[in-house]
Amino acid sequence: KKNEYSILERMKDYNVTCSEPISFGVLENRGYMITSYIEGKDAEEVISIYSNLEQYNIGVEAAKELKKMHQYPASHTIASWYSRKVEKHNNYMKAYLGCGIKVKNDQKIIDFIEKNIHLMKKRPSVFQHDDYTLGNIIVNNKEFAGVIDFGRYDWGDPIHEFLKIGIFSREVSIPFSKGQIKGYFNNKEPDENFWRLYSLYLAMCVFSTVIWTLNTIPNNLNEMLDKVYMFLEDHDYFSKLKPKWYQ
């Protein structure tokens, strides 16, 4: 909680529209923090009743806030994004190959990862919210009101933030998802390098999702596999870099 509180203090430096840190302390051996309240509802609950243009515009505003966060560079003491991500991926792959669950066309996915994993080598390492979904975005009067829940923050490639679109956001609001992508690139189309990295991170997520779900919420495995198969179909098992819903 202390780390999360210090992150909120840094977010103020970058003018991120989020909860303002007010106080931090310890009570009966438990850390607590007090923050300001953002008026509104979480976007996941209400965005589907908005018009397509309103949903898209909220996505654009969400992208602007994400860009502000990504100005915060990782400390030079943190290992490179490539080394950390590859180590995690190798551990997940080892666990996947021994877990007894088999994802359809898994070898095709593995081949795609091996062909593209080198692209992470020179990627920047910056602050990542790491749970940038509609459930952590607050809307009020059909407009973006702020972002919450910095508890899962990490450091790494800014493009990695977008994989949550493919897993969660596109299922709730495709206009929002398009707005977040295009808004991040100043309303221009992202280049092939973006889509290749985006697809790489989704492909890696296939195996980490299986293992994380088995270890954490095994009863939800079928539900999570449905999400995995949704984004695999979106990309024709990565024979396409751009997802079908974006076309």
Side-chain angles (χ1 to χ4, degrees), residues 117-130:
I117 201 164
H118 69 279
L119 295 172
M120 298 194 302
K121 280 185 178 176
K122 293 185 179 177
R123 294 300 300 159
S125 194
V126 300
F127 175 83
Q128 297 170 327
H129 180 282
D130 213 35

Side-chain angles (χ1 to χ4, degrees), residues 66 70 81 119-120 123-128 130 156-166 180-181 184-185 190-202:
L66 198 55
H70 291 163
W81 166 247
L119 295 172
M120 298 194 302
R123 294 300 300 159
S125 194
V126 300
F127 175 83
Q128 297 170 327
D130 213 35
D157 185 355
I159 291 176
H160 189 262
E161 299 267 33
F162 289 88
L163 75 87
K164 295 291 172 79
I165 288 179
Q180 187 184 323
I181 291 170
Y184 194 86
F185 294 97
D191 61 18
E192 185 188 319
N193 193 51
F194 168 83
W195 289 117
R196 195 166 286 281
L197 282 161
Y198 170 85
S199 297
L200 171 65
Y201 295 140
L202 271 178

Side-chain angles (χ1 to χ4, degrees), residues 147-197:
V147 56
I148 60 171
D149 193 2
F150 286 75
R152 296 184 186 177
Y153 76 91
D154 204 346
W155 306 93
D157 185 355
I159 291 176
H160 189 262
E161 299 267 33
F162 289 88
L163 75 87
K164 295 291 172 79
I165 288 179
I167 306 167
F168 299 109
S169 300
R170 63 73 88 219
E171 196 174 15
V172 181
S173 171
I174 286 173
F176 167 88
S177 301
K178 289 180 176 178
Q180 187 184 323
I181 291 170
K182 289 194 76 173
Y184 194 86
F185 294 97
N186 301 317
N187 290 319
K188 294 174 185 167
E189 288 294 333
D191 61 18
E192 185 188 319
N193 193 51
F194 168 83
W195 289 117
R196 195 166 286 281
L197 282 161

